[in-house]
Amino acid sequence: MTDHDLAIEAAGLCRSYHTRTGWLRPQRKTIQAVRGVSFTVGRGELFGLLGPNGAGKTTTIKMLNTLLLPTEGSARVLGHDVATDPVEVRRRIGYVFGGDRGLYERLSALDNLRYFAELYGVEAREQLPRIHELLESVGLKGREGERVEGYSRGMRQKLHIARGLLHRPEVLFLDEPTIGVDPVAARELRQMVADLVAAGTTVLLTTHYMAEADQLCDRIAVIASGTLRAEGTPTELKDRVRKLDVLEVEVHEAAGDEQLRTLRATPGVEQVTVETRGPVDTVTVHAQPSAGNHGAVMAALAGLRTGKVTSREPTLEDAYVSIIGASGATGEQ
């Protein structure tokens, strides 16, 4: 891939913060939010950036869209350096983040888009046609006269996307766009993103929803504790755990530390995670496929009231958990 084919280039990006702790004897502390992150995104590609909370995803995006300066390293968007040529970068990008920030609640959707069209320098004669085109495409036509304070979470996210597309950006940063959105609205938003990419827009997406990343992304990078842990297509990442069996066991009482230690020490077992769903825990075991492994797993859980036991193919979520688990990262910084 030549430089002309690249939309985003990140090379050794680092970002540190200085904080003070304590009151009587305050101490300065340096936190490294991003540590030497490097990757490239091709034009027209949908690139996913996955990682736990506090892993450095949003900090990385903010460096790429000029909201933060890198402490070290460099980045270019469409050939323009984010540190030395930020104005040219901003003219070519859009930024959409999850949540309620970034809109004026007491204004209507139409007035919000008019305001941002002026802010983004959209030609006056193009503003209304562009706004009505976007309202139609995001499914808000007919509701544009209502105040945003009465909008649902899904409607707000659609308006966020419309706002980010007003100036026809070549690169769009989507930071958890479907967070807190109901399943129907999330499906509509995913289709909108897929349509944007099909039309030639380059998209960098962060999300916590593995199925969403698997469905949408051409390539994915996994970041944890500020460093890049893995990169590849969804299939390539899943191939990392394809050799493993995944066994899910419903447990109707909490598994004790001793039982979990025994399970993790069972020959062939590579990883164990526990997810609480109401009164039931789901113990997920990644193990080498071999005769007797399932029996050994159930023996380690002896004494607990178990329910449904399921064996399945590994998913992108399994690959993600394996990558994060292997790095020892929690996402807390």
Side-chain angles (χ1 to χ4, degrees):
M1 189 178 292
T2 66
D3 289 348
H4 181 72
D5 297 324
L6 295 177
I8 299 172
E9 305 164 72
L13 281 181
C14 298
R15 176 69 191 191
S16 299
Y17 296 94
H18 300 290
T19 63
R20 297 181 66 183
T21 59
W23 180 60
L24 291 175
R25 296 180 179 176
Q27 295 180 335
R28 290 181 64 84
K29 183 179 179 182
T30 300
I31 298 175
Q32 290 183 296
V34 176
R35 315 175 191 189
V37 166
S38 300
F39 61 86
T40 59
V41 180
R43 291 177 185 258
E45 185 176 20
L46 201 162
F47 188 87
L49 193 59
L50 308 183
N53 291 329
K57 303 186 302 296
T58 298
T59 300
T60 299
I61 281 188
K62 286 184 175 180
M63 286 189 284
L64 293 173
N65 66 21
T66 77
L67 293 179
L68 287 175
L69 281 172
T71 308
E72 296 178 34
S74 63
R76 296 168 67 85
V77 176
L78 298 168
H80 298 278
D81 190 284
V82 299
T84 62
D85 205 4
V87 174
E88 289 303 317
V89 172
R90 290 170 191 157
R91 285 175 178 166
R92 292 163 170 79
I93 66 171
Y95 179 33
V96 177
F97 45 85
D100 296 329
R101 297 169 297 138
L103 297 171
Y104 292 92
E105 296 214 341
R106 297 187 66 82
L107 295 180
S108 67
L110 182 60
D111 288 338
N112 264 278
L113 293 179
R114 280 174 169 167
Y115 170 78
F116 285 110
E118 287 284 345
L119 192 65
Y120 294 162
V122 179
E123 290 284 343
R125 66 178 179 275
E126 294 181 9
Q127 287 184 12
L128 279 179
R130 179 62 175 160
I131 287 170
H132 287 294
E133 175 190 345
L134 288 169
L135 287 168
E136 183 74 41
S137 66
V138 301
L140 292 178
K141 194 71 174 174
R143 307 288 300 272
E144 67 268 28
E146 300 175 22
R147 285 185 176 181
V148 172
E149 63 187 358
Y151 273 18
S152 68
R153 189 68 173 270
M155 292 171 69
R156 289 169 189 244
Q157 285 304 97
K158 291 177 180 180
L159 186 56
H160 271 301
I161 291 178
R163 185 207 68 198
L165 295 173
L166 277 167
H167 56 306
R168 303 182 191 274
E170 297 175 66
V171 176
L172 183 64
F173 295 94
L174 296 177
D175 195 3
E176 300 188 40
T178 58
I179 188 169
V181 173
D182 69 81
V184 173
R187 177 181 291 183
E188 292 173 352
L189 288 169
R190 286 194 294 271
Q191 186 58 54
M192 284 172 52
V193 173
D195 291 343
L196 286 171
V197 176
T201 305
T202 303
V203 174
L204 193 153
L205 168 75
T206 74
T207 180
H208 281 121
Y209 303 127
M210 296 300 115
E212 182 171 89
D214 199 2
Q215 174 187 340
L216 291 175
C217 295
D218 299 309
R219 287 188 303 127
I220 291 169
V222 179
I223 188 172
S225 297
T227 62
L228 218 59
R229 306 292 182 172
E231 184 180 344
T233 66
T235 299
E236 288 169 345
L237 295 183
K238 284 184 279 189
D239 283 344
R240 296 168 66 111
V241 292
R242 192 81 67 187
K243 66 182 187 299
L244 302 178
D245 276 343
V246 182
L247 190 67
E248 290 185 344
V249 184
E250 287 187 355
V251 179
H252 294 272
E253 54 189 293
D257 291 341
E258 185 62 35
Q259 287 163 317
L260 291 176
R261 276 195 295 269
T262 300
L263 184 54
R264 291 188 173 102
T266 300
V269 171
E270 293 200 359
Q271 189 160 8
V272 177
T273 57
V274 181
E275 182 181 359
T276 300
R277 300 170 182 169
V280 178
D281 281 353
T282 298
V283 178
T284 303
V285 180
H286 296 75
Q288 296 288 344
S290 63
N293 262 356
H294 290 188
V297 168
M298 298 309 297
L301 295 173
L304 297 177
R305 290 191 303 116
T306 58
K308 184 171 67 173
V309 180
T310 307
S311 179
R312 58 171 174 77
E313 284 286 310
T315 63
L316 181 61
E317 182 173 342
D318 295 314
Y320 170 83
V321 169
S322 177
I323 293 163
I324 296 298
S327 71
T330 64
E332 297 176 1
Q333 298 176 0

